[in-house]
Short mmCIF file of all heavy atoms in Angstrom, two decimals:
data_model
loop_
_atom_site.label_atom_id
_atom_site.label_comp_id
_atom_site.label_asym_id
_atom_site.label_seq_id
_atom_site.Cartn_x
_atom_site.Cartn_y
_atom_site.Cartn_z
N LEU A 59 -27.92 -39.21 98.82
CA LEU A 59 -29.25 -39.77 99.02
C LEU A 59 -29.74 -40.51 97.78
O LEU A 59 -30.24 -41.63 97.87
CB LEU A 59 -30.22 -38.65 99.40
CG LEU A 59 -31.59 -39.06 99.90
CD1 LEU A 59 -31.48 -39.73 101.26
CD2 LEU A 59 -32.48 -37.83 99.99
N VAL A 60 -29.55 -39.91 96.62
CA VAL A 60 -29.95 -40.55 95.36
C VAL A 60 -29.10 -41.79 95.11
O VAL A 60 -29.61 -42.81 94.63
CB VAL A 60 -29.86 -39.55 94.19
CG1 VAL A 60 -30.01 -40.24 92.85
CG2 VAL A 60 -30.90 -38.45 94.35
N MET A 61 -27.81 -41.74 95.45
CA MET A 61 -26.95 -42.92 95.27
C MET A 61 -27.44 -44.08 96.12
O MET A 61 -27.50 -45.23 95.64
CB MET A 61 -25.51 -42.58 95.65
CG MET A 61 -24.78 -41.76 94.63
SD MET A 61 -23.13 -41.21 95.14
CE MET A 61 -22.40 -42.66 95.78
N VAL A 62 -27.83 -43.82 97.36
CA VAL A 62 -28.34 -44.88 98.23
C VAL A 62 -29.65 -45.43 97.67
O VAL A 62 -29.85 -46.64 97.61
CB VAL A 62 -28.54 -44.34 99.68
CG1 VAL A 62 -29.33 -45.30 100.52
CG2 VAL A 62 -27.19 -44.05 100.30
N PHE A 63 -30.53 -44.54 97.23
CA PHE A 63 -31.81 -44.94 96.67
C PHE A 63 -31.62 -45.84 95.45
O PHE A 63 -32.21 -46.92 95.34
CB PHE A 63 -32.61 -43.68 96.31
CG PHE A 63 -33.98 -43.94 95.79
CD1 PHE A 63 -35.00 -44.35 96.63
CD2 PHE A 63 -34.27 -43.73 94.45
CE1 PHE A 63 -36.27 -44.58 96.16
CE2 PHE A 63 -35.54 -43.96 93.96
CZ PHE A 63 -36.55 -44.38 94.81
N VAL A 64 -30.78 -45.43 94.52
CA VAL A 64 -30.53 -46.20 93.30
C VAL A 64 -29.82 -47.51 93.65
O VAL A 64 -30.11 -48.57 93.08
CB VAL A 64 -29.71 -45.37 92.29
CG1 VAL A 64 -29.21 -46.22 91.13
CG2 VAL A 64 -30.54 -44.21 91.78
N GLY A 65 -28.88 -47.46 94.60
CA GLY A 65 -28.17 -48.67 95.00
C GLY A 65 -29.11 -49.71 95.60
O GLY A 65 -29.00 -50.91 95.30
N LEU A 66 -30.05 -49.27 96.43
CA LEU A 66 -31.02 -50.21 97.00
C LEU A 66 -31.92 -50.83 95.93
O LEU A 66 -32.19 -52.03 95.96
CB LEU A 66 -31.87 -49.51 98.07
CG LEU A 66 -31.13 -49.17 99.37
CD1 LEU A 66 -32.04 -48.36 100.29
CD2 LEU A 66 -30.66 -50.44 100.06
N PHE A 67 -32.38 -50.01 95.00
CA PHE A 67 -33.19 -50.56 93.91
C PHE A 67 -32.38 -51.51 93.05
O PHE A 67 -32.89 -52.54 92.58
CB PHE A 67 -33.78 -49.45 93.04
CG PHE A 67 -35.12 -49.00 93.50
CD1 PHE A 67 -35.28 -47.76 94.09
CD2 PHE A 67 -36.23 -49.81 93.37
CE1 PHE A 67 -36.52 -47.35 94.54
CE2 PHE A 67 -37.47 -49.42 93.81
CZ PHE A 67 -37.63 -48.19 94.40
N ASP A 68 -31.10 -51.23 92.83
CA ASP A 68 -30.24 -52.12 92.06
C ASP A 68 -30.10 -53.46 92.76
O ASP A 68 -30.20 -54.52 92.13
CB ASP A 68 -28.88 -51.47 91.85
CG ASP A 68 -27.96 -52.32 90.98
OD1 ASP A 68 -28.43 -52.80 89.93
OD2 ASP A 68 -26.79 -52.49 91.36
N LEU A 69 -29.89 -53.42 94.07
CA LEU A 69 -29.81 -54.67 94.83
C LEU A 69 -31.11 -55.45 94.75
O LEU A 69 -31.11 -56.67 94.53
CB LEU A 69 -29.50 -54.36 96.30
CG LEU A 69 -28.04 -54.39 96.70
CD1 LEU A 69 -27.87 -53.82 98.10
CD2 LEU A 69 -27.51 -55.79 96.63
N LEU A 70 -32.23 -54.75 94.93
CA LEU A 70 -33.54 -55.40 94.89
C LEU A 70 -33.80 -56.04 93.54
O LEU A 70 -34.19 -57.21 93.46
CB LEU A 70 -34.63 -54.37 95.22
CG LEU A 70 -36.06 -54.87 95.16
CD1 LEU A 70 -36.32 -55.82 96.32
CD2 LEU A 70 -37.03 -53.71 95.19
N PHE A 71 -33.57 -55.30 92.47
CA PHE A 71 -33.81 -55.86 91.13
C PHE A 71 -32.80 -56.96 90.79
O PHE A 71 -33.13 -57.92 90.09
CB PHE A 71 -33.78 -54.76 90.08
CG PHE A 71 -35.01 -53.90 90.09
CD1 PHE A 71 -34.91 -52.53 90.18
CD2 PHE A 71 -36.27 -54.46 90.00
CE1 PHE A 71 -36.03 -51.73 90.20
CE2 PHE A 71 -37.41 -53.67 90.02
CZ PHE A 71 -37.29 -52.31 90.12
N GLY A 72 -31.57 -56.85 91.29
CA GLY A 72 -30.59 -57.91 91.06
C GLY A 72 -31.02 -59.21 91.70
O GLY A 72 -30.93 -60.29 91.08
N LYS A 73 -31.50 -59.14 92.95
CA LYS A 73 -32.00 -60.35 93.63
C LYS A 73 -33.23 -60.90 92.92
O LYS A 73 -33.39 -62.12 92.80
CB LYS A 73 -32.31 -60.03 95.08
CG LYS A 73 -31.11 -59.60 95.88
CD LYS A 73 -30.95 -60.45 97.08
CE LYS A 73 -29.77 -59.91 97.88
NZ LYS A 73 -28.85 -60.95 98.19
N LEU A 74 -34.12 -60.00 92.48
CA LEU A 74 -35.33 -60.43 91.78
C LEU A 74 -34.99 -61.15 90.48
O LEU A 74 -35.56 -62.21 90.18
CB LEU A 74 -36.22 -59.21 91.50
CG LEU A 74 -37.58 -59.48 90.90
CD1 LEU A 74 -38.45 -60.26 91.87
CD2 LEU A 74 -38.25 -58.18 90.51
N VAL A 75 -34.05 -60.61 89.72
CA VAL A 75 -33.63 -61.25 88.47
C VAL A 75 -32.98 -62.60 88.76
O VAL A 75 -33.19 -63.58 88.05
CB VAL A 75 -32.66 -60.32 87.69
CG1 VAL A 75 -31.97 -61.07 86.56
CG2 VAL A 75 -33.41 -59.13 87.14
#
Side-chain angles (χ1 to χ4, degrees):
L59 191 68
V60 169
M61 284 174 48
V62 168
F63 183 73
V64 169
L66 289 175
F67 269 109
D68 183 47
L69 266 169
L70 178 70
F71 285 126
K73 297 235 184 231
L74 185 65
V75 167

